């Protein structure tokens, strides 16, 4: 496991640092001296823990039939090893070249990998973290095929030139024995046979090597005599070769879809030619050619017909047909269709010996995006149920959330409802890849990972104890009508692909309330129930988000906002009528023909059957406003104690009461400030042309740091849509924006069809143009940000006095303020208050933190009858960069948990339903000397601040980064205290103490080269974090020293001591007449004494770090010490065993010498000297 060097910071330096201390921090030191912080820099250490998911872009596969371990190599040089469920391992070749072949040293705890850069490596699997023992880099020839015979230490390496070299896997040195291509083929042949595509030894005679060349020539080479015994030639190129276990026949697969069977002593012509998927003509002509058969395996059984398993070979007229695996057994042929193209397959057999009946029982099929195991022993060839978490990418992941130390009863509850979702029809047998042992150490807390997907599904995963198991899957798309074809798609949809994609997740584990925001500007609130219900009509609430006042000035919009604030609960009500009565495009067009009051998706019209689990409580949809589509939802929060959901966008924010199904707040961002805005000023003329570019860059950086980034397909479409609606394109003049009908006749958005078509074409053209640019490497963006960091900082400083008046200039429209984060809490807004009141903190992309006070009825009866009161408290603090996270500490510096309501069964009868147990707001104690008894923690893309409440004085301030910006920040609870964890766009991971904001960790961990990482990176409590390292894999890391120290104990073991099965019995007659397997002394044949040394320029030996020294450095903790002691004992025992064998041999030699000397003495005892 690679560990990273940490730049540890001494505790007292922060106060003296000009970049970390604020001018008013000293005023807060007196009142904060009483808080004793326990977090220190030595508590932090960053390292990777485990990787979950399907190996991205797999390229090769191997299986150890004795250890029952499967290895998969990828195109990026990664190795993934799988044993029983929960035993997984990830390794990486430093070069990053594709793994073209893998070969196990069966039951030896070692693996040989061949890479596309013509290097081969020996991996030691006897330690928990495998490491490379030796490497060999070929300089003059390209590696095409490798073969390692069972129980042999000599590796055959075939090259592109057609030569075969032999490597000793113990010392990783080349033998002087080389099989040259010109000696292998006939001397009369004038053409090069092409690369070596196959090497294998005869199962019954190790001295005979079968060599397959790409051109169609196969040679049976005698290793002892160093010449070819037989040559077999066919007109079509060869892809693979397979032996019959008796060593008298072999089968070749060819590029024209044929299989040729050869008798080794009859090289003139094939004994049989078949085309498994070819149409046989009646006139006896040659069958029509088919696609190449890429691989064939020939496995025999003791009691029945042999199995012939192959991939490819389909007829060319099967255009569009999915990849297939063909199983030929006797007279039956089964064609098994796969969901993805086949990369490789292996047949699992009962014996590792190639010269015995193979008795195949399963086939492992490695697909491009899946791993399938087929049961050959049952009728119909069912598949095994896969115990590995390989379905993360079933639909592209669009967002992630990580919850550590969640309530203990949540995982069993999710598992109980998720177990009913499992598919049926799997094989009855256990998963056969069951090697290795689980780790001994465990974590004391439970962990849950949530993934949102492009198809609208949400998966809950149990991530406890470094494992991953799917608990429950929720399909949010069931709420909507699905168009049967592209022609039936609604014209109101704002994305062409994946309209149900998940954008943001907000979950309360204690109450099990789930809130989901989708890409089509919709929010769904779910409640957890153990009972199945049928919902006749989905509760729907349509929200018309306010637009910028200078863009849409319709009195209807303004009136709705006013009613939403002044008379909560009366401005909007749930639409419970059937969807056919919902507003449609035709009935809700404005007078000029533009779409108005129309949601993006059509709600399901038929009754919705909801099984036990998460069930829809309320659906909220943003509607089109005067021809403009709704803005993307940029922030979301749900609170079960208040019964409220808050969501924000570029248009403003809305707060919905999901218990009463009413909208209580719907305001623009500017209206949040009111008259208390300290930065309010009169409109001014535009600045120089240099300033808007900095503002534009600032907006882009904020949005890139604040949006929960999407999957690539959704992100491109959404980016184009955001740029169109926000007016970021320089070519779009302010006058070109669509206005409401009340803005005057000068509006270009008329009711004729031409203007509608222009609008649609505008959307499409921008989508096409911008989708090309958003796919650029994120490193390019980072460089651009770094180049103008100084300009950007100046612009951000000047933005403190930015106007938020209703008359927004063109520059201000470029930097529209977006709602970026929320936090529900109980706080003291005034010094005169003695009890904390419910409130909502709002963070914006321009660095403002604002507060909204809430008046929530106290009793459950009043809660359902009386509306929730709202009052705007205005801005609290201003930071550089968009606000990412807000939290609350008590007077002792302890993180205050969010208020919540304990879970209860929502579908239980009224008389059986338990009274909801709300966590009562805390009443902080204050004193005359120190009236501040709470702290607010606010973290932005650039800064972190700690405020004393209710005085709102800034007591600590820290500038996190100057040249980059923070992508993700979380206030986390650790064993030793509370801190802030940050992930920056430049790849740095940092932690800060609370409340003093001392830097404790700063590691340059991961250069951000992919938007996927930024979109999915998230921290959790207890020092855990994760991100999507590839489209199919989740990488988990820890930044706590304690977890790093105990990692060895928690990881599983790949290698376990297992007895190698006994070799097959040769039988009396075979032993008598020599019909059994013939062994070969390869050491005598390939050793340096007989074969000489290989050319030094041919390959370079590179010693690896994975020996005993490498293991000592990687292993740590008690179990690591025990493992080293056990390995040392094993080595000592092995050496003692070797010494004992040598002693026995010496004793036998001494006895033999004594016997010979005695015989000679007896022979010459009575003879005279002249008789000798």
């Amino acid at each position: 496991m690679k560990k990273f060097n940490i730049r540890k910071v001494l505790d007292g330096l922060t106060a003296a640092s000009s970049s970390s201390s604020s001018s008013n921090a000293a005023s807060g030191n007196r009142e904060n001296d009483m808080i004793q912080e326990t977090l220190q820099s030595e508590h932090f250490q960053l390292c990777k823990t485990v990787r979950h998911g399907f190996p991205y872009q797999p390229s090769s596969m191997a299986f150890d039939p004795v250890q029952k371990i499967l290895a998969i190599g990828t195109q990026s040089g990664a190795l993934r090893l799988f044993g029983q469920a929960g035993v997984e391992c990830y390794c990486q070749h430093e070069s990053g070249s594709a793994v073209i072949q893998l070969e196990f040293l069966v039951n030896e705890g070692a693996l040989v990998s061949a890479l596309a850069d013509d290097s081969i490596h020996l991996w030691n699997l006897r330690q928990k973290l495998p490491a490379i023992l030796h490497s060999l880099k070929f300089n003059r020839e390209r590696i095409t095929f490798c073969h390692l015979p069972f129980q042999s230490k000599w590796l055959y390496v075939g090259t592109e030139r057609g030569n075969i070299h032999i490597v000793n896997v113990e010392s990783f040195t080349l033998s002087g024995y080389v099989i040259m291509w010109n000696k292998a083929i006939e001397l009369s042949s004038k053409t090069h046979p092409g690369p070596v595509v196959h090497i294998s030894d005869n199962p019954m005679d190790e001295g005979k090597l079968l060599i397959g060349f790409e051109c169609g020539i196969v040679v049976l080479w005698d290793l002892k005599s160093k010449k070819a015994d037989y040559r077999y030639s066919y007109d079509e190129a060869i892809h693979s070769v397979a032996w019959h276990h008796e060593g008298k026949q072999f089968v070749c697969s060819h590029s024209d879809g044929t299989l040729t069977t050869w008798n080794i002593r009859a090289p003139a012509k094939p004994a049989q030619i078949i085309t498994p998927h070819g149409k046989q003509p009646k006139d006896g002509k040659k069958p029509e050619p088919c696609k190449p058969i890429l691989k064939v395996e020939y496995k025999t059984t003791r009691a029945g017909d042999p199995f012939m398993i192959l991939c490819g070979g389909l007829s060319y007229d099967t255009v569009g047909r999915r990849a297939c695996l063909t199983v030929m057994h006797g007279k039956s042929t089964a064609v098994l269709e796969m969901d993805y193209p086949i990369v490789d397959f292996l047949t699992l057999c009962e014996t590792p010996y190639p010269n015995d009946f193979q008795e195949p029982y399963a086939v492992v099929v490695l697909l491009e995006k899946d791993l399938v195991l087929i049961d050959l022993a049952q009728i119909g060839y069912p598949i095994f149920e896969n115990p590995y978490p390989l379905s993360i990418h079933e639909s592209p992941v669009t967002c992630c959330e990580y919850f550590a130390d969640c309530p203990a009863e949540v995982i069993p509850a999710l598992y109980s409802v998720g177990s009913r979702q499992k598919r049926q029809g799997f094989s009855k047998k256990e998963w056969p890849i069951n090697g290795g042992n689980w780790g001994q150490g465990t974590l004391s807390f439970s962990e849950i990972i949530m993934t949102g997907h492009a198809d609208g599904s949400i998966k809950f995963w149990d991530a406890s104890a470094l494992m991953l198991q799917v608990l429950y899957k929720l399909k949010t798309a069931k709420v909507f009508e699905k168009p049967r074809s592209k022609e039936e798609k609604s014209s109101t949809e704002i994305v062409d692909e994946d309209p149900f994609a998940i954008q943001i997740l907000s979950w309360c584990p204690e109450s099990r309330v789930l809130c989901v925001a989708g890409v089509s500007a919709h929010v769904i609130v779910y409640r957890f129930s153990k009972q199945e219900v049928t919902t006749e009509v989905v509760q729907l609430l349509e929200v018309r988000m306010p637009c910028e006042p200078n863009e849409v000035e319709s009195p209807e919009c303004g009136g709705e906002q006013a009613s939403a604030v002044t008379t909560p609960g009366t401005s909007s009500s749930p639409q419970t009528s059937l969807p056919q009565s919902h507003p449609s495009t035709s009935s809700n067009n404005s007078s000029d023909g533009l779409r108005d009051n129309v949601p993006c998706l059509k709600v399901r019209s038929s009754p919705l059957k909801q099984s036990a689990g998460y069930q829809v409580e309320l659906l909220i949809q943003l509607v089109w406003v005067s021809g403009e589509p709704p803005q993307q939802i940029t922030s979301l929060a749900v609170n079960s104690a208040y019964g409220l959901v808050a969501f924000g966008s570029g248009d403003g924010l809305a707060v919905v009461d999901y218990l009463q199904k009413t909208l209580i707040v719907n305001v623009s961002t500017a209206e949040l400030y009111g008259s208390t805005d300290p930065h309010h000023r009169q409109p001014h003329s535009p600045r120089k042309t240099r300033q808007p570019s900095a503002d534009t860059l600032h907006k882009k950086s904020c949005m890139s740091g604040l949006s929960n980034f999407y999957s690539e397909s959704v992100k491109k479409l959404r980016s184009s849509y955001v740029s169109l609606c926000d007016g970021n394109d320089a070519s779009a003049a302010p006058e070109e924006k669509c206005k409401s009908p009340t803005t005057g006749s000068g509006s270009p958005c008329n009711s004729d069809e031409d203007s509608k078509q222009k609008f649609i074409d505008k959307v499409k053209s921008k989508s096409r143009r911008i989708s090309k640019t958003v796919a650029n490497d994120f490193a390019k963006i980072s460089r651009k940000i770094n180049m103008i960091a100084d300009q950007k900082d100046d612009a951000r400083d000047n933005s403190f006095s930015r106007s938020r008046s209703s008359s927004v200039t063109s520059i201000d429209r470029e930097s529209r303020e977006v709602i970026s984060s929320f936090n529900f809490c109980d706080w003291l807004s005034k010094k005169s208050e003695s009890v904390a009141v419910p409130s909502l903190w709002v963070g914006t992309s321009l660095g403002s933190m604002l507060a909204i006070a809430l008046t929530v009825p106290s009793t459950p009866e009043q809660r359902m009858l009386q509306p929730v009161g709202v009052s705007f408290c205005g801005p609290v603090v201003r930071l550089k960069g968009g606000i990412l996270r807000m939290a609350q500490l008590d007077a002792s510096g302890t993180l205050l948990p969010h208020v919540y309501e304990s879970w209860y069964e929502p579908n239980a009868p009224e008389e059986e339903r338990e009274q909801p147990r709300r966590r009562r707001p805390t009443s902080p104690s204050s004193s005359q000397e120190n009236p501040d008894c709470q702290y607010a923690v606010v973290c932005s893309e650039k800064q972190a601040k700690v405020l004393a409440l209710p005085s709102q004085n800034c007591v600590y301030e820290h500038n996190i980064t100057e040249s980059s910006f923070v992508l993700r920040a979380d206030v986390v609870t650790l064993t030793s205290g509370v801190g802030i964890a940050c992930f920056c766009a430049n790849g740095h991971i940092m932690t800060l103490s609370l409340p003093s904001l001392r830097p404790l960790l700063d590691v340059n961990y991961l250069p951000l080269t992919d938007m996927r990482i930024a979109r999915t990176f998230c921290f959790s409590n207890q020092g855990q974090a994760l991100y999507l390292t590839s489209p199919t894999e989740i990488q988990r890391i820890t930044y706590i020293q304690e977890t790093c120290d105990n990692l060895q104990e928690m990881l599983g073991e790949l290698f376990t001591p297992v007895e190698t099965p006994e070799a097959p019995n040769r039988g009396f007659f075979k032993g008598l007449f020599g019909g059994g397997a013939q062994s070969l002394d390869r050491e005598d044949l390939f050793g340096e004494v007989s074969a000489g040394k290989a050319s030094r320029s041919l390959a370079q030996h590179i010693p690896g770090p994975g020996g005993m020294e490498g293991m000592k450095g990687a292993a740590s903790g008690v179990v690591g010490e025990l493992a080293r002691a056990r390995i040392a004992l094993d080595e000592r025992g092995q050496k003692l065993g070797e010494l004992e064998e040598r002693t026995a041999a010496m004793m036998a030699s001494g006895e033999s010498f004594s016997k010979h000397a005695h015989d000679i003495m007896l022979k010459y005892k009575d003879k005279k000297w002249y008789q000798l």
Side-chain angles (χ1 to χ4, degrees), residues 417-552:
V417 295
S419 59
R420 308 173 196 176
Q421 300 177 332
K422 289 190 175 180
R423 290 171 49 193
Q424 303 298 323
F426 291 110
S427 172
K428 302 278 195 287
K429 296 182 180 178
E430 294 291 330
W431 182 258
I433 304 171
N434 53 12
N437 289 324
W438 289 348
Q440 299 300 316
T442 58
L443 297 173
S444 59
F445 49 88
S446 57
E447 301 168 82
I448 291 179
I449 296 173
M450 293 173 62
T451 55
H453 299 265
D455 63 353
S457 62
I458 301 169
K459 290 182 180 178
F460 292 78
W461 305 83
D462 179 7
S464 306
L466 296 186
M467 297 185 185
L468 195 68
Q469 179 184 12
V470 66
L471 292 171
Y472 175 71
K473 181 179 179 180
L474 172 64
K475 297 180 180 179
T476 64
K478 288 183 176 181
V479 180
F480 304 101
E481 294 281 1
K482 289 187 178 180
R484 298 179 182 177
S485 61
K486 291 185 178 180
E487 290 73 18
E488 294 184 14
K489 273 193 172 183
S490 172
S491 60
T492 59
E493 291 188 11
I494 58 177
V495 290
D496 293 335
E497 298 178 4
D498 302 323
F500 312 114
I502 305 300
Q503 185 173 356
I504 309 175
L505 297 169
S506 179
W507 185 49
C508 176
E510 291 81 8
S511 64
R512 306 179 197 174
V513 174
L514 172 66
C515 195
V516 179
V519 68
S520 296
H522 62 273
V523 175
I524 311 177
V525 182
Y526 288 92
R527 300 286 288 270
F528 185 84
S529 174
K530 296 182 179 180
Q531 300 178 12
E532 183 179 298
V533 296
T534 300
T535 304
E536 296 294 333
V537 179
V538 175
Q539 295 286 306
L540 173 62
L541 182 64
E542 292 183 350
V543 177
R544 182 184 173 98
M545 289 289 280
C547 298
E548 291 293 338
N550 68 323
E551 294 181 2
V552 178

Side-chain angles (χ1 to χ4, degrees), residues 49-85:
T49 54
V50 68
R51 181 172 293 198
H52 301 296
F54 182 77
Y56 183 56
Q57 295 180 335
S59 56
S60 57
M61 179 173 58
F63 181 70
D64 188 325
V66 179
Q67 286 288 322
K68 307 288 186 183
I69 296 291
L70 181 73
I72 297 177
T74 72
Q75 295 182 20
S76 59
L79 274 182
R80 294 287 299 279
L81 296 118
F82 297 91
Q84 60 176 306

Side-chain angles (χ1 to χ4, degrees), residues 117 196 202 242 351 421 475 536 708 881:
D117 64 352
V196 176
N202 189 316
T351 176
Q421 300 177 332
K475 297 180 180 179
E536 296 294 333
N708 284 327

Side-chain angles (χ1 to χ4, degrees), residues 877-1091:
V877 70
R878 191 71 181 274
L879 281 74
K880 293 182 181 180
I883 303 296
L884 297 178
R885 193 67 58 195
M886 296 171 287
Q888 198 177 19
L889 306 178
D890 62 12
S892 63
T894 304
L895 180 66
L896 287 175
H898 63 278
V899 290
Y900 61 86
E901 178 185 76
S902 299
W903 177 80
Y904 63 91
E905 176 56 61
N907 295 322
E910 290 292 337
E911 59 273 9
E912 298 179 8
R913 185 179 301 181
E914 295 182 11
Q915 288 294 325
R917 299 182 300 276
R918 287 187 175 85
R919 193 182 73 81
R920 298 184 60 83
T922 57
S923 298
S925 59
S926 60
S927 62
Q928 295 296 328
E929 294 79 11
N930 182 16
D932 291 329
C933 49
Q934 285 184 344
Y935 297 96
V937 180
V938 189
C939 186
S940 73
E941 294 177 317
K942 290 285 188 179
Q943 286 181 314
K945 288 186 179 181
V946 176
L947 308 178
L949 298 178
S951 66
Q952 300 183 12
N953 293 326
C954 179
V955 293
Y956 290 106
E957 178 180 344
H958 177 73
N959 292 329
I960 299 174
T961 177
E962 296 293 339
S963 59
S964 184
F965 57 91
V966 179
L967 288 167
R968 177 80 184 213
D970 287 288
V971 178
V972 293
T973 301
L974 309 172
T975 306
S976 305
V978 182
I980 300 177
C982 304
F983 174 56
C984 293
N986 59 9
H988 282 249
I989 291 179
M990 293 178 280
T991 59
L992 307 173
S993 68
L994 283 177
S996 66
L997 300 178
R998 288 180 298 110
L1000 300 175
L1001 174 72
D1002 187 354
V1003 176
N1004 188 4
Y1005 168 69
L1006 182 70
L1008 189 62
T1009 57
D1010 199 325
M1011 283 290 187
R1012 182 191 315 105
I1013 300 172
R1015 185 183 72 237
T1016 58
F1017 199 104
C1018 50
F1019 294 98
S1020 186
N1021 293 331
Q1022 305 302 327
Q1024 308 301 311
L1026 65 82
Y1027 59 93
L1028 211 66
T1029 185
S1030 75
T1032 63
E1033 296 169 291
I1034 287 177
Q1035 178 66 57
R1036 293 166 65 180
I1037 62 175
T1038 182
Y1039 49 94
I1040 290 297
Q1041 181 73 48
E1042 182 183 1
T1043 307
C1044 293
D1045 292 341
N1046 299 329
L1047 186 60
Q1048 283 287 322
E1049 301 179 23
M1050 294 184 284
L1051 293 176
E1053 289 182 294
L1054 287 169
F1055 179 80
T1056 54
V1058 179
E1059 290 278 340
T1060 302
E1062 292 185 5
N1065 191 358
R1066 296 173 61 185
F1068 175 74
F1069 291 104
K1070 285 186 178 181
L1072 184 62
F1073 298 106
Q1078 302 295 319
S1079 60
L1080 174 71
D1081 188 357
R1082 295 187 178 94
E1083 182 68 35
D1084 182 58
L1085 195 60
F1086 303 142
E1088 187 176 330
V1089 176
S1090 57

Side-chain angles (χ1 to χ4, degrees), residues 574-612:
Q575 301 185 15
T576 57
S577 58
L578 292 176
Q580 53 260 30
S581 66
H582 290 167
S584 62
T585 306
S586 59
S587 63
N588 285 273
N589 284 351
S590 60
S591 59
D592 60 356
L594 297 176
R595 302 181 186 90
D596 196 41
N597 284 338
V598 185
C600 301
L601 299 175
K602 187 178 179 181
V603 183
R604 180 190 182 108
S605 57
S606 58
L608 177 62
K609 183 179 179 181
Q610 303 191 81
S611 56

Side-chain angles (χ1 to χ4, degrees), residues 148-190:
L148 181 65
F150 178 52
Q151 293 183 327
S152 170
K153 68 175 183 179
W154 296 96
L155 174 73
Y156 300 101
V157 181
T159 67
E160 194 175 35
R161 293 186 181 180
N163 303 325
I164 295 177
H165 302 277
I166 302 170
V167 178
N168 186 325
V169 294
E170 290 182 350
S171 60
F172 245 53
T173 55
L174 275 174
S175 168
Y177 192 112
V178 182
I179 303 174
M180 306 299 292
W181 67 270
N182 54 354
K183 294 183 180 179
I185 66 172
E186 294 183 81
L187 297 178
S188 59
S189 178
K190 297 180 180 179

Side-chain angles (χ1 to χ4, degrees), residues 117-310:
D117 64 352
D118 309 311
S119 63
I120 56 176
H121 308 270
L122 178 65
W123 290 84
N124 178 17
L125 307 183
R126 290 177 177 255
Q127 55 195 58
K128 289 191 174 184
L129 299 173
I132 294 177
L133 291 171
H134 299 282
S135 297
L136 196 64
K137 180 74 166 64
F138 282 75
N139 299 322
R140 294 184 299 182
E141 296 195 53
R142 306 297 307 273
I143 298 174
T144 57
F145 194 88
C146 296
H147 171 62
L148 181 65
F150 178 52
Q151 293 183 327
S152 170
K153 68 175 183 179
W154 296 96
L155 174 73
Y156 300 101
V157 181
T159 67
E160 194 175 35
R161 293 186 181 180
N163 303 325
I164 295 177
H165 302 277
I166 302 170
V167 178
N168 186 325
V169 294
E170 290 182 350
S171 60
F172 245 53
T173 55
L174 275 174
S175 168
Y177 192 112
V178 182
I179 303 174
M180 306 299 292
W181 67 270
N182 54 354
K183 294 183 180 179
I185 66 172
E186 294 183 81
L187 297 178
S188 59
S189 178
K190 297 180 180 179
T191 59
H192 192 278
V196 176
V197 296
H198 178 82
I199 307 171
S200 62
D201 48 352
N202 189 316
M204 287 294 180
D205 189 352
E206 296 176 352
K208 308 292 184 182
L209 196 67
L210 196 68
I211 307 168
F213 295 95
E214 188 181 54
C215 68
I217 297 176
V218 179
V219 177
L220 187 64
W221 181 266
D222 190 320
L223 291 169
K224 291 182 179 179
S225 62
K226 300 184 181 180
K227 65 178 183 179
D229 284 351
Y230 299 102
R231 298 179 178 90
Y232 316 86
S233 182
Y234 192 70
D235 295 336
E236 297 294 335
I238 290 177
H239 284 276
S240 69
V241 182
W243 277 101
H244 187 280
H245 83 277
E246 292 180 349
K248 297 177 181 178
Q249 282 186 337
F250 61 88
V251 178
C252 299
S253 68
H254 299 275
S255 58
D256 63 345
T258 59
L259 294 173
T260 57
T261 304
W262 301 81
N263 293 325
I264 60 171
R265 299 185 183 276
K269 64 176 183 177
Q272 185 183 29
I273 302 176
I274 60 172
T275 307
H277 296 287
K279 297 178 181 178
Q280 300 292 337
K282 296 181 180 179
D283 53 3
K285 293 183 180 179
K286 190 176 181 180
E288 294 180 1
C290 296
K291 297 176 183 177
I293 297 177
L294 302 177
K295 185 175 182 179
V296 62
E297 290 202 350
Y298 192 16
K299 302 298 179 182
T300 56
T301 59
R302 214 177 286 272
D305 296 317
F307 282 88
M308 197 171 288
I309 305 167
L310 54 102

Side-chain angles (χ1 to χ4, degrees), residues 649-680:
S649 68
D651 284 333
L653 74 90
V655 180
V656 172
D657 183 344
Y658 67 80
L659 297 178
Q660 297 186 19
K661 314 294 190 296
T662 56
L663 178 68
I664 62 173
V665 175
N666 185 12
V667 296
S668 66
T669 311
E671 291 175 298
L672 283 173
Y673 292 86
S675 60
T676 61
D677 182 10
H679 311 294
H680 182 85

